[in-house]
Amino acid sequence: MRYFVLAALAVILSGCASASTVQTSKDTAIVQSRAAPVCGGIGASKVAEKEAAIATLKAGFDSYIIFNGAAESSIAVLQGPGTYDTTAIASGSVINATTTYQPGLPIVVGHHGQSFAIKMFHQGDPGFESALSARTALGPDWEQQVKNPVLTCVG
Protein backbone atom coordinates (compact mmCIF):
# COMPACT_ATOMS: atom_id res chain seq x y z
CA MET A 1 0.00 0.00 0.00
CA ARG A 2 2.86 2.37 0.85
CA TYR A 3 4.40 1.90 -2.61
CA PHE A 4 1.04 2.50 -4.25
CA VAL A 5 0.66 5.83 -2.43
CA LEU A 6 4.22 6.86 -3.37
CA ALA A 7 3.66 5.87 -7.01
CA ALA A 8 0.36 7.78 -7.14
CA LEU A 9 2.02 10.85 -5.65
CA ALA A 10 4.83 10.64 -8.23
CA VAL A 11 2.30 10.50 -11.06
CA ILE A 12 0.38 13.47 -9.68
CA LEU A 13 3.52 15.57 -9.24
CA SER A 14 4.97 14.61 -12.62
CA GLY A 15 2.05 16.22 -14.43
CA CYS A 16 1.87 19.28 -12.24
CA ALA A 17 3.96 21.80 -14.15
CA SER A 18 4.62 23.46 -17.48
CA ALA A 19 7.00 26.11 -18.76
CA SER A 20 7.75 28.17 -21.82
CA THR A 21 10.49 30.50 -23.01
CA VAL A 22 10.25 33.63 -25.13
CA GLN A 23 13.55 34.69 -26.68
CA THR A 24 13.71 38.51 -26.38
CA SER A 25 17.14 39.04 -27.99
CA LYS A 26 20.13 36.95 -29.01
CA ASP A 27 21.22 36.58 -25.38
CA THR A 28 18.10 37.29 -23.30
CA ALA A 29 14.84 35.45 -22.68
CA ILE A 30 11.79 35.39 -20.47
CA VAL A 31 11.02 32.06 -18.83
CA GLN A 32 7.54 31.40 -17.45
CA SER A 33 6.30 28.44 -15.44
CA ARG A 34 3.02 27.24 -13.99
CA ALA A 35 2.67 24.66 -11.25
CA ALA A 36 -0.25 22.94 -9.56
CA PRO A 37 -1.36 23.96 -6.06
CA VAL A 38 0.40 20.96 -4.49
CA CYS A 39 3.74 22.22 -5.85
CA GLY A 40 3.64 25.57 -4.08
CA GLY A 41 5.48 28.69 -5.15
CA ILE A 42 8.83 26.99 -4.58
CA GLY A 43 7.85 24.24 -7.02
CA ALA A 44 7.00 26.85 -9.67
CA SER A 45 10.42 28.46 -9.08
CA LYS A 46 12.19 25.11 -9.49
CA VAL A 47 10.40 24.53 -12.80
CA ALA A 48 11.35 28.01 -14.06
CA GLU A 49 14.96 27.49 -12.98
CA LYS A 50 15.15 24.20 -14.87
CA GLU A 51 13.53 25.78 -17.94
CA ALA A 52 16.06 28.66 -17.79
CA ALA A 53 18.95 26.17 -17.88
CA ILE A 54 17.38 24.20 -20.75
CA ALA A 55 16.64 27.39 -22.73
CA THR A 56 20.24 28.55 -22.22
CA LEU A 57 21.69 25.34 -23.62
CA LYS A 58 19.19 25.16 -26.49
CA ALA A 59 20.16 28.72 -27.49
CA GLY A 60 23.82 27.65 -27.65
CA PHE A 61 24.99 29.35 -24.44
CA ASP A 62 26.74 27.93 -21.38
CA SER A 63 25.46 29.92 -18.42
CA TYR A 64 22.83 32.46 -17.40
CA ILE A 65 21.95 35.12 -14.85
CA ILE A 66 18.42 35.75 -13.61
CA PHE A 67 18.17 39.54 -13.63
CA ASN A 68 14.47 39.94 -12.93
CA GLY A 69 11.64 37.80 -11.63
CA ALA A 70 7.99 37.82 -10.70
CA ALA A 71 5.70 35.34 -8.98
CA GLU A 72 1.94 34.96 -8.80
CA SER A 73 -0.60 32.66 -7.25
CA SER A 74 -4.27 32.14 -8.10
CA ILE A 75 -4.85 29.43 -5.49
CA ALA A 76 -8.32 29.31 -3.95
CA VAL A 77 -9.99 26.79 -1.68
CA LEU A 78 -13.65 26.17 -2.40
CA GLN A 79 -16.11 24.27 -0.27
CA GLY A 80 -17.18 21.07 -1.97
CA PRO A 81 -20.83 20.08 -2.07
CA GLY A 82 -22.12 18.51 1.10
CA THR A 83 -24.90 16.12 2.06
CA TYR A 84 -28.03 16.37 4.17
CA ASP A 85 -29.33 13.63 6.43
CA THR A 86 -32.80 13.90 7.90
CA THR A 87 -34.06 11.68 10.67
CA ALA A 88 -37.72 11.79 11.70
CA ILE A 89 -39.53 10.19 14.62
CA ALA A 90 -43.32 10.00 14.63
CA SER A 91 -45.17 9.84 17.92
CA GLY A 92 -48.90 9.96 17.52
CA SER A 93 -49.80 13.09 15.57
CA VAL A 94 -46.38 14.73 16.24
CA ILE A 95 -43.36 14.32 13.99
CA ASN A 96 -39.94 15.33 15.27
CA ALA A 97 -37.37 15.78 12.49
CA THR A 98 -33.67 16.63 12.61
CA THR A 99 -31.62 17.52 9.55
CA THR A 100 -27.85 17.40 9.72
CA TYR A 101 -25.58 18.94 7.08
CA GLN A 102 -22.22 17.28 6.42
CA PRO A 103 -19.94 19.65 4.48
CA GLY A 104 -18.04 18.19 1.53
CA LEU A 105 -14.28 18.10 1.15
CA PRO A 106 -12.55 21.32 0.16
CA ILE A 107 -11.51 21.70 -3.48
CA VAL A 108 -8.23 23.48 -4.24
CA VAL A 109 -8.10 25.29 -7.61
CA GLY A 110 -5.69 27.61 -9.38
CA HIS A 111 -1.93 27.57 -9.94
CA HIS A 112 1.39 29.10 -8.90
CA GLY A 113 3.40 30.99 -11.50
CA GLN A 114 6.98 32.17 -11.79
CA SER A 115 8.64 34.34 -14.44
CA PHE A 116 12.37 34.95 -14.82
CA ALA A 117 14.15 37.32 -17.18
CA ILE A 118 17.52 35.75 -18.01
CA LYS A 119 20.71 36.89 -19.72
CA MET A 120 22.77 34.11 -21.28
CA PHE A 121 26.54 33.90 -21.65
CA HIS A 122 29.12 32.02 -23.68
CA GLN A 123 32.24 30.94 -21.84
CA GLY A 124 34.61 33.93 -21.86
CA ASP A 125 31.91 36.60 -22.28
CA PRO A 126 32.10 39.55 -19.88
CA GLY A 127 29.98 38.58 -16.85
CA PHE A 128 30.40 34.84 -17.44
CA GLU A 129 32.27 34.41 -14.15
CA SER A 130 29.17 35.48 -12.19
CA ALA A 131 26.68 33.43 -14.20
CA LEU A 132 25.13 30.08 -13.26
CA SER A 133 26.26 27.04 -15.24
CA ALA A 134 23.27 25.61 -17.11
CA ARG A 135 24.82 22.14 -17.16
CA THR A 136 25.43 22.20 -13.41
CA ALA A 137 21.87 23.40 -12.79
CA LEU A 138 20.50 20.38 -14.69
CA GLY A 139 22.90 17.81 -13.25
CA PRO A 140 24.82 14.93 -14.80
CA ASP A 141 22.02 13.93 -17.21
CA TRP A 142 21.77 17.45 -18.66
CA GLU A 143 21.95 16.24 -22.28
CA GLN A 144 18.90 14.00 -21.80
CA GLN A 145 16.99 16.78 -20.05
CA VAL A 146 17.65 19.18 -22.93
CA LYS A 147 16.46 16.60 -25.50
CA ASN A 148 13.40 15.43 -23.55
CA PRO A 149 12.53 17.89 -20.79
CA VAL A 150 10.26 16.55 -18.07
CA LEU A 151 9.17 19.44 -15.92
CA THR A 152 8.09 18.55 -12.41
CA CYS A 153 8.02 20.56 -9.22
CA VAL A 154 10.04 17.93 -7.32
CA GLY A 155 13.79 17.61 -7.40
Side-chain angles (χ1 to χ4, degrees), residues 1-84:
M1 182 65 168
R2 180 176 166 206
Y3 294 109
F4 175 75
V5 170
L6 291 175
L9 185 59
V11 168
I12 290 169
L13 292 177
S14 68
C16 71
S18 64
S20 66
T21 301
V22 176
Q23 196 85 22
T24 54
S25 74
K26 288 182 182 178
D27 64 351
T28 61
I30 296 173
V31 174
Q32 296 180 310
S33 71
R34 288 173 62 118
V38 69
C39 294
I42 292 172
S45 293
K46 287 180 180 183
V47 170
E49 179 183 17
K50 186 174 183 177
E51 178 69 11
I54 290 170
T56 297
L57 294 171
K58 281 185 173 181
F61 291 88
D62 302 302
S63 59
Y64 63 97
I65 289 177
I66 298 169
F67 65 87
N68 202 348
E72 59 99 10
S73 176
S74 65
I75 304 300
V77 179
L78 308 174
Q79 181 64 55
T83 59
Y84 292 93

Side-chain angles (χ1 to χ4, degrees), residues 78-100:
L78 308 174
Q79 181 64 55
T83 59
Y84 292 93
D85 183 37
T86 302
T87 306
I89 299 174
S91 177
S93 63
V94 177
I95 299 177
N96 250 344
T98 303
T99 300
T100 306

